[in-house]
């Protein structure tokens, strides 16, 4: 244990995901030696992420504006929606260059052990979107979604979430529902799947 502010800082870093006590200490000591301008920049970035980031009212992606860059892009295919767990999964799929549709960010996966149920995820808004009843879409837009790709993680929670949503989507008989093809490492996180594998999984997606 260190004294005062240094220990406070270490404790704060240690609370961040993926940062263990040793890394927290290393970052804190690094900052202790860094230039005041660097600290100011970090402080500004932290303040900006709190005040300057919001969630897209259409797809729930993190966004600077009310409607995210992808939803606002009229060049993208509006008829296909790729359902992902987290906004960071969008970056992964975008990197494949394979997908030109839109997204829907659930904000996690069903996980009964962690008390995460359907109401905790953006599932109702997905159904509204598909049903075309989502209010206040950007001017003139008529949502006409014909395909939904379930791209939740290839682990237990992700699979359970995909099956759950697939069942709900049976209410839309004209809708094509697909799941990323096999070849994805089981038990994995979309974030760690390489681009080629993900690209193949997308193009070879299986109709449910
Ligand atoms: Zn959006």
């Amino acid at each position: 244990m260190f004294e005062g502010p240094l220990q406070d800082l270490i404790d704060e870093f240690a609370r961040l995901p993926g940062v263990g006590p040793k890394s927290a200490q290393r970052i804190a000591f690094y900052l202790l030696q860094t230039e005041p301008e660097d600290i100011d920049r970090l402080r500004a970035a932290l303040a900006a992420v709190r005040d300057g980031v919001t969630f897209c009212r259409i797809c729930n992606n993190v966004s600077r504006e009310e409607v995210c860059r992808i939803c606002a892009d009229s060049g993208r295919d509006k008829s296909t929606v790729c359902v992902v767990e987290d906004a960071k999964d969008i970056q992964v799929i975008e990197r494949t260059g394979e997908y030109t549709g839109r997204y829907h960010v659930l904000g996690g996966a069903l996980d009964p052990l962690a008390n995460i149920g359907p109401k905790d995820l953006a599932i109702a808004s997905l159904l509204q979107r598909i049903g075309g009843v989502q209010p206040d879409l950007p001017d003139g837009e008529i949502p006409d979604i014909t395909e939904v790709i379930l791209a939740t993680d290839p682990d237990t929670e992700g699979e359970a979430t995909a099956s759950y949503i697939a069942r709900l989507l049976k209410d839309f008989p004209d809708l094509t529902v697909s799941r990323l093809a096999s070849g994805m490492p089981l038990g994995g996180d979309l974030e760690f799947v390489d681009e080629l594998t993900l690209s193949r999984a997308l193009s070879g997606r299986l109709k449910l």
Side-chain angles (χ1 to χ4, degrees):
M1 288 290 277
F2 298 92
E3 281 181 33
L6 181 59
Q7 188 59 45
D8 293 344
L9 190 60
I10 293 171
D11 293 343
E12 287 304 322
F13 284 134
R15 285 169 50 192
L16 300 175
V19 180
K22 276 201 176 134
S23 307
Q25 231 178 67
R26 205 175 311 136
I27 301 168
F29 272 95
Y30 166 78
L31 290 174
L32 203 58
Q33 294 161 358
T34 199
E35 300 295 326
E37 305 89 88
D38 292 337
I39 301 273
D40 287 343
R41 242 195 353 263
L42 181 63
R43 197 204 314 253
L46 285 172
V49 77
R50 189 190 52 205
D51 304 331
V53 176
T54 179
F55 295 93
C56 172
R57 65 178 159 82
I58 298 174
C59 74
N60 201 31
N61 185 12
V62 287
S63 175
R64 195 186 274 262
E65 312 288 339
E66 230 184 288
V67 172
C68 78
R69 190 176 46 79
I70 294 173
C71 287
D73 183 348
S74 58
R76 293 191 73 116
D77 174 13
K78 291 175 184 148
S79 66
T80 309
V81 171
C82 181
V83 177
V84 293
E85 291 183 20
D86 300 301
K88 61 186 187 321
D89 297 332
I90 293 181
Q91 308 304 320
V92 184
I93 295 174
E94 286 295 287
R95 276 205 302 272
T96 67
E98 185 84 18
Y99 182 70
T100 55
R102 288 178 168 183
Y103 294 93
H104 193 84
V105 181
L106 294 172
L110 294 175
D111 187 356
L113 294 176
N115 260 327
I116 300 173
K119 286 200 165 54
D120 301 306
L121 306 176
I123 293 176
S125 60
L126 173 68
L127 299 180
Q128 285 178 352
R129 232 180 128 181
I130 295 164
V133 294
Q134 179 168 296
D136 60 9
L137 289 170
D139 294 344
E141 177 172 342
I142 302 149
D144 187 14
I145 297 165
T146 56
E147 181 177 5
V148 169
I149 304 168
L150 298 168
T152 46
D153 287 346
D155 58 9
T156 318
E157 293 81 16
E159 292 299 342
T161 309
S163 332
Y164 179 82
I165 295 174
R167 269 202 309 278
L168 295 177
L169 295 182
K170 292 216 185 304
D171 289 346
F172 303 93
D174 296 335
L175 188 71
T176 301
V177 181
S178 55
R179 175 85 176 113
L180 289 185
S182 53
M184 299 268 286
L186 287 178
D189 188 321
L190 210 60
E191 206 184 340
F192 304 118
V193 179
D194 68 275
E195 283 158 40
L196 188 63
T197 306
L198 189 55
S199 177
R200 283 198 191 122
L202 261 172
S203 56
R205 60 187 179 266
L206 305 166
K207 220 173 141 183
L208 296 180

